[in-house]
Amino acid sequence: MQAQNQNLIAAFEQEREARILSHRADKEWRELSNAWMRHAAQKHYMYNFSFLGRPIIQLPQDMVAFQEIIWDVKPDIIIETGIAHGGSLIMSAGMLALLDYCDAVEGGETLDPKAPGRKVVGVDIDIRAHNRAAIEAHPMAHRIEMIQGSSTDADTVAKVKELAQGYDRVLVALDSNHTYAHVLEELRAYAPLASKGSYCIVFDTIVEDLPDGLYPDRPWSRGDNPKTAVHAYLNELADTPQTGADGAPLRFEIDSAIDGKLLLTVTPDGFLKRV
Ligand SMILES: C[S@@+](CC[C@H](N)C(=O)[O-])C[C@H]1O[C@@H](n2cnc3c(N)ncnc32)[C@H](O)[C@@H]1O
């Protein structure tokens, strides 16, 4: 019976993998997705949603991918740049609370909801008072540390590193200023904190694939955005081998299976897996 169940599960996985490959190869569908993304970016569609009550500036597809990554990686800490209204912080904290809950169930323990547990560190150059108050009043607040400052300032980086000390499984998500120069600096500062098997997720790489002029009030554009920074950073690591915060060699691969299956995503080439 158990073997039969295993076979059914394996067959489902195989079918899914084959289907995803065929979706990724579907040029017409990819063009449709690109047109849809252009429309969505123009209309600020990504501002339509909330997570556990806090507004989140994300595409729901990417939120599902984030959830899958968290389940696979089971991070002890998530480091995020770009807080805005706090939705992504609350999503991360909520997912980490679920991991703690699952651990407790599996261990036959009772979960103390106020126990320190897994946590999230968020950085933003401008944490607006009303957003800070709402985040601090949220039931997930005890899992969240917020740092105000530019994510690339030496002081901020040092504070984040200090807070991350002692955590083995580290997930990083970059979603602040989307210029090439800023994201490249963020990658240099924070990607080495991602643990092996985990990810450094770089949001809004989609800017490179959309027409210029979609973000007239922003300093990023085609040629100057998170995707160009990702490619520069990966080249940099290939040219000059480095070690991560754990002392092991630092290597990332773009996990294109993720954005390949999403089809609608703001993160093409942005799911960097530490290998
Ligand atoms: C796209 S929003 C973040 C959205 C959030 N992650 C979410 O999913 O809801 C970008 C945020 O980056 C912040 N930001 C801009 N420049 C920054 C910098 N140099 N350092 C840190 N944060 C910055 C902005 O204040 C803004 O709140």
Side-chain angles (χ1 to χ4, degrees):
M1 181 67 176
Q2 206 185 351
Q4 196 192 359
N5 285 347
Q6 290 302 334
N7 288 343
L8 286 171
I9 291 168
F12 178 83
E13 297 284 344
Q14 274 168 15
E15 273 171 33
R16 180 155 77 173
E17 224 164 279
R19 195 169 46 241
I20 288 171
L21 279 176
S22 80
H23 291 174
R24 286 172 66 186
D26 188 331
K27 191 164 171 279
E28 190 189 349
W29 198 355
R30 278 195 282 115
E31 281 166 6
L32 263 175
S33 298
N34 194 272
W36 193 94
M37 285 303 300
R38 194 172 63 234
H39 210 71
Q42 236 159 9
K43 305 276 181 190
H44 297 287
Y45 170 85
M46 292 75 170
Y47 288 72
N48 288 359
F49 307 96
S50 294
F51 199 94
L52 299 182
R54 287 309 300 153
I56 182 165
I57 308 170
Q58 269 305 348
L59 195 67
Q61 300 278 101
D62 286 308
M63 290 159 65
V64 172
F66 196 67
Q67 169 275 138
E68 288 190 359
I69 288 174
I70 290 177
W71 182 254
D72 286 345
V73 171
K74 304 209 166 32
D76 303 318
I77 187 168
I78 300 178
I79 295 165
E80 295 189 19
T81 66
I83 295 176
H85 303 263
S88 58
L89 279 187
I90 298 294
M91 177 167 72
S92 293
M95 287 301 306
L96 295 182
L98 284 177
L99 291 184
D100 283 342
Y101 173 84
C102 292
D103 280 354
V105 170
E106 280 173 357
E109 296 155 14
T110 307
L111 182 72
D112 170 3
K114 290 284 181 190
R118 295 170 159 101
K119 77 173 181 194
V120 187
V121 176
V123 175
D124 201 293
I125 197 166
D126 179 17
I127 307 174
R128 306 261 168 94
H130 61 287
N131 287 330
R132 180 185 281 279
I135 295 165
E136 285 174 348
H138 197 280
M140 287 294 148
H142 68 284
R143 291 182 179 269
I144 297 172
E145 300 269 359
M146 287 182 278
I147 300 171
Q148 178 156 296
S150 175
S151 53
T152 53
D153 276 3
D155 258 13
T156 310
V157 175
K159 278 185 199 152
V160 172
K161 285 185 175 165
E162 201 184 315
L163 287 168
Q165 256 176 20
Y167 288 90
D168 290 333
R169 290 195 206 178
V170 184
L171 178 68
V172 176
L174 306 179
D175 189 20
S176 70
N177 175 333
H178 299 315
T179 61
Y180 167 87
H182 188 80
V183 178
L184 185 56
E185 277 308 302
E186 280 190 329
L187 280 162
R188 288 175 181 148
Y190 300 109
L193 298 177
S195 47
K196 206 160 174 195
S198 181
Y199 287 76
C200 176
I201 304 170
V202 185
F203 286 104
D204 272 327
T205 44
I206 186 76
V207 176
E208 180 66 6
D209 305 337
L210 296 176
D212 263 338
L214 276 190
Y215 309 93
D217 53 341
R218 304 286 196 198
W220 45 86
S221 59
R222 269 185 138 163
D224 179 359
N225 58 66
K227 193 190 260 188
T228 53
V230 162
H231 291 154
Y233 182 65
L234 295 182
N235 287 337
E236 213 171 87
L237 287 186
D239 290 345
T240 318
Q242 292 173 37
T243 48
D246 55 7
L250 189 61
R251 258 190 2 99
F252 287 94
E253 277 173 6
I254 292 172
D255 192 341
S256 46
I258 300 180
D259 45 295
K261 79 173 168 182
L262 292 177
L263 290 167
L264 296 176
T265 176
V266 300
T267 318
D269 286 3
F271 293 100
L272 305 185
K273 182 168 189 172
R274 182 156 175 215
V275 291

